[in-house]
Amino acid sequence: MDISDNLSVESKTLKVNVYTSLVALSVLLVSWIVMSQSLKLKAFGKKIDKIPGPFSIPILGTLVLIIIPRSEILEVIIRWTRKFKDGCFRLWLLNEPVIFISSPDHVQKILGSKEHLEKAALYQVLKPLIGNGLITADVPSWKAHRRLLINSVNGKMKQDGNVQPLVFSLASLELGLGCSPLKRYEEDINAATQELFDYVVSERRKQRQTHDINTNEINTESSALKNQKHIGRGALIDTLLDAAEHSENEITDEYMKNELMTFLVAGHDTSSETMLWALFMLGSHPELQDKVHDEMKEIFGDNRTPEITLDDLSRMTYLDQCIKETLRVYPSVPLLMRKVNTDVELEPDLIIPAGAEVAFCIPAIHQNPSVYKNPKKFDPERFAADKIADIHPYGYCPFSLGPRNCIGKRLGEVLTKIVLAGFFLNYSVTSLQKPEEVKTVAEVTLGPSKPIFFHVKRR
Ligand code: HEM
């Protein structure tokens, strides 16, 4: 064996040693990461378990949830809200904790804060449908886009005193999409809508270009003609296209379609479920329905097909109370969820640890007996002008509250009101089932567990 053989054996041994050390180091590193993660999780779990809740076991979580039927789940959550101190309890969904809160002061601490704007992981299920639109957006892009869109949602209504066109473009579609036969074709509708948006975005872009060329060619000082360029603008799609023209906004076609889909999804079923529940409640309380009809007659006299204006809507105070009470008893979005970024001290002995997911069960918040006397009763008088101030501002949240509330709140209210106003001016309705016979099913929106039947009569 010569010296070069020795060197080659030594270098092989050295290589083996380096590999062994690297493998050992990697194993150590991975074990350290796993251990520190599991210690963190254990510490996190311990903090969560300081919050009371129904019986749960490690890994499998709160087992009882498996056997509760879908139509009972809301009632069970409301019961737990009443059972646990301060209306706060934790559930374990397998290994993932969720903390439910319901007291208005606690709700305010999270929804009212600028700190806790992040949505919970559950919202990811909506991403295939609406991508990074406002509802599912992460906080930085939400901030940029919310600022951009808010004026186009509310501004359009202020410009057009007559709100009827809004209803024809949105609510007629709403009533169609909200009804159950079409639910069967949901996938096809979604695919077709995406295709439609492709078409709408590209056509609108072409139209705008042609219009820009024409108005530039006219080259006149007439302000009327200059303004023509903006006729029809102010719609959501134009706000997005305007923003896309300024590259710093990074508005892609994909984002534009997702945002249009977000507004369609967020605006339609919510408003149509509200209309449905309002019909059901007023159809079950004929004396309240008569008051609504009297109000319509007072505003419109014998005109059965009026062009309803914003001014007319502001005079419909009793109908407004009925819609508010409908949204209290049947909030069309039953569940909101956030992830908190810092520890939140709800009470000195009740702390939500940073990183936890918090759920707001709106029906449970709306049936809090310390906010509402006799909470099960449908009573529009709660929202009369001289009583509304008695309601804690965070005890009523059908449109959520705080910085990340519903951007379409005003539009949703106007749509619902105008459709119901037209209806009660011309028709009377009787619900063929009693309220106690119809249960609710909480999905993304709050629907009835079975079809509701009405008898409708022309007045
Ligand atoms: C009665 C009708 C409506 C109800 C009850 C309602 C309720 C809500 C609620 C509770 C949220 C918060 C969701 C969450 O935090 O996860 C929300 C968000 C939202 N709503 Fe509505 N909504 C209604 C109508 C509308 C309409 C008509 C539009 C659009 C034209 C709309 C667009 C949106 C959007 C885009 C968001 C996300 C806002 C953001 O994260 O910044 N909503 N809505």
Side-chain angles (χ1 to χ4, degrees):
M1 192 193 255
D2 66 12
I3 192 154
S4 65
D5 286 340
N6 268 341
L7 274 176
S8 120
V9 170
E10 266 176 29
S11 90
K12 270 185 195 157
T13 325
L14 193 68
K15 266 187 195 160
V16 171
N17 281 345
V18 170
Y19 285 138
T20 324
S21 318
L22 274 177
V23 170
L25 258 174
S26 316
V27 171
L28 265 173
L29 191 70
V30 171
S31 335
W32 179 76
I33 293 174
V34 170
M35 260 181 45
S36 64
Q37 278 304 101
S38 66
L39 278 175
K40 257 194 210 162
L41 280 178
K42 219 172 159 187
F44 181 67
K46 268 192 178 162
K47 286 184 190 172
I48 295 281
D49 275 331
K50 282 193 181 154
I51 301 170
F55 176 73
S56 307
I57 52 175
I59 302 174
L60 293 178
T62 312
L63 283 177
V64 69
L65 287 172
I66 304 169
I67 53 164
I68 304 173
R70 268 184 343 143
S71 59
E72 303 284 324
I73 195 96
L74 265 183
E75 279 308 312
V76 174
I77 288 179
I78 294 172
R79 241 181 284 140
W80 282 334
T81 303
R82 302 288 156 259
K83 176 176 169 186
F84 293 102
K85 190 169 161 272
D86 297 316
C88 174
F89 63 92
R90 55 103 192 98
L91 292 183
W92 283 94
L93 308 176
L94 301 176
N95 240 351
E96 299 294 333
V98 180
I99 296 153
F100 280 76
I101 64 170
S102 63
S103 123
D105 289 335
H106 297 170
V107 172
Q108 182 163 15
K109 281 194 175 162
I110 297 176
L111 286 187
S113 145
K114 286 188 186 142
E115 285 270 314
H116 312 296
L117 298 170
E118 194 178 335
K119 295 285 178 83
L122 191 68
Y123 286 72
Q124 295 294 324
V125 297
L126 294 173
K127 286 231 162 165
L129 182 63
I130 56 175
N132 213 20
L134 276 188
I135 292 183
T136 39
D138 51 59
V139 177
S141 65
W142 171 79
K143 276 189 180 155
H145 294 148
R146 171 107 181 182
R147 229 176 288 134
L148 181 73
L149 300 174
I150 195 140
N151 284 337
S152 86
V153 182
N154 295 322
K156 183 103 179 102
M157 245 180 329
K158 281 186 209 132
Q159 289 163 25
D160 308 346
N162 183 346
V163 282
Q164 208 97 331
L166 284 171
V167 179
F168 292 125
S169 62
L170 278 160
S172 54
L173 194 63
E174 248 156 52
L175 290 167
L177 281 178
C179 74
S180 51
L182 282 183
K183 285 225 153 105
R184 270 189 285 148
Y185 304 107
E186 215 160 69
E187 252 178 47
D188 295 343
I189 291 174
N190 290 342
T193 318
Q194 286 289 355
E195 234 172 81
L196 177 71
F197 286 159
D198 264 341
Y199 175 77
V200 169
V201 169
S202 73
E203 281 303 300
R204 188 72 182 126
R205 189 174 269 141
K206 269 191 241 158
Q207 247 179 32
R208 286 159 54 99
Q209 274 163 3
T210 326
H211 207 180
D212 284 354
I213 292 165
N214 289 346
T215 38
N216 284 342
E217 275 173 0
I218 289 168
N219 191 19
T220 164
E221 286 304 303
S222 151
S223 62
L225 278 174
K226 268 188 178 168
N227 285 340
Q228 263 192 17
K229 191 177 160 191
H230 297 285
I231 287 173
R233 291 198 173 184
L236 184 70
I237 186 167
D238 286 306
T239 307
L240 291 168
L241 286 166
D242 282 344
E245 281 162 16
H246 302 100
S247 53
E248 75 271 16
N249 288 308
E250 286 180 19
I251 304 284
T252 60
D253 280 15
E254 186 63 24
Y255 163 71
M256 242 185 275
K257 279 188 287 158
N258 282 333
E259 205 60 276
L260 290 173
M261 194 64 178
T262 297
F263 275 72
L264 188 75
V265 169
H268 287 93
D269 278 11
T270 47
S271 310
S272 63
E273 300 285 18
T274 309
M275 293 170 202
L276 170 77
W277 289 119
L279 286 182
F280 183 48
M281 282 295 95
L282 291 172
S284 308
H285 297 87
E287 67 297 353
L288 308 183
Q289 190 182 149
D290 286 346
K291 279 179 84 171
V292 172
H293 177 70
D294 291 348
E295 184 172 81
M296 296 308 124
K297 288 287 284 179
E298 205 181 302
I299 299 171
F300 300 113
D302 290 332
N303 187 355
R304 283 179 167 250
T305 50
E307 293 259 307
I308 301 176
T309 63
L310 282 179
D311 185 46
D312 296 327
L313 292 182
S314 69
R315 294 170 62 202
M316 298 175 192
T317 50
Y318 191 69
L319 177 60
D320 194 60
Q321 286 170 228
C322 293
I323 294 171
K324 286 197 165 73
E325 178 66 346
T326 301
L327 279 165
R328 183 188 71 81
V329 182
Y330 297 106
S332 46
V333 178
L335 187 80
L336 315 175
M337 287 182 78
R338 295 283 168 86
K339 182 174 180 175
V340 295
N341 290 329
T342 52
D343 285 3
V344 182
E345 186 182 299
L346 299 178
E347 303 291 335
D349 60 344
L350 190 58
I351 293 164
I352 301 185
E357 301 206 329
V358 179
F360 306 83
C361 173
I362 313 292
I365 296 171
H366 285 179
Q367 290 187 33
N368 185 341
S370 64
V371 181
Y372 302 99
K373 254 187 229 154
N374 201 356
K376 293 258 179 217
K377 185 177 173 203
F378 182 82
D379 180 10
E381 288 308 318
R382 302 177 201 278
F383 293 95
D386 57 338
K387 300 222 183 78
I388 198 164
D390 299 344
I391 300 172
H392 188 301
Y394 279 77
Y396 182 69
C397 48
F399 295 96
S400 182
L401 289 162
R404 204 164 181 176
N405 71 344
C406 173
I407 199 172
K409 173 177 184 286
R410 179 86 182 104
L411 184 57
E413 285 170 340
V414 165
L415 286 174
T416 310
K417 216 165 166 183
I418 201 168
V419 170
L420 292 177
F423 180 87
F424 286 114
L425 185 61
N426 289 289
Y427 301 96
S428 69
V429 62
T430 312
S431 308
L432 299 183
Q433 291 123 301
K434 292 201 168 66
E436 51 280 15
E437 289 167 5
V438 178
K439 294 198 168 157
T440 53
V441 178
E443 291 175 341
V444 177
T445 53
L446 189 73
S449 61
K450 54 183 177 186
I452 302 183
F453 294 97
F454 298 102
H455 184 236
V456 178
K457 212 169 120 197
R458 201 170 171 93
R459 284 202 188 252

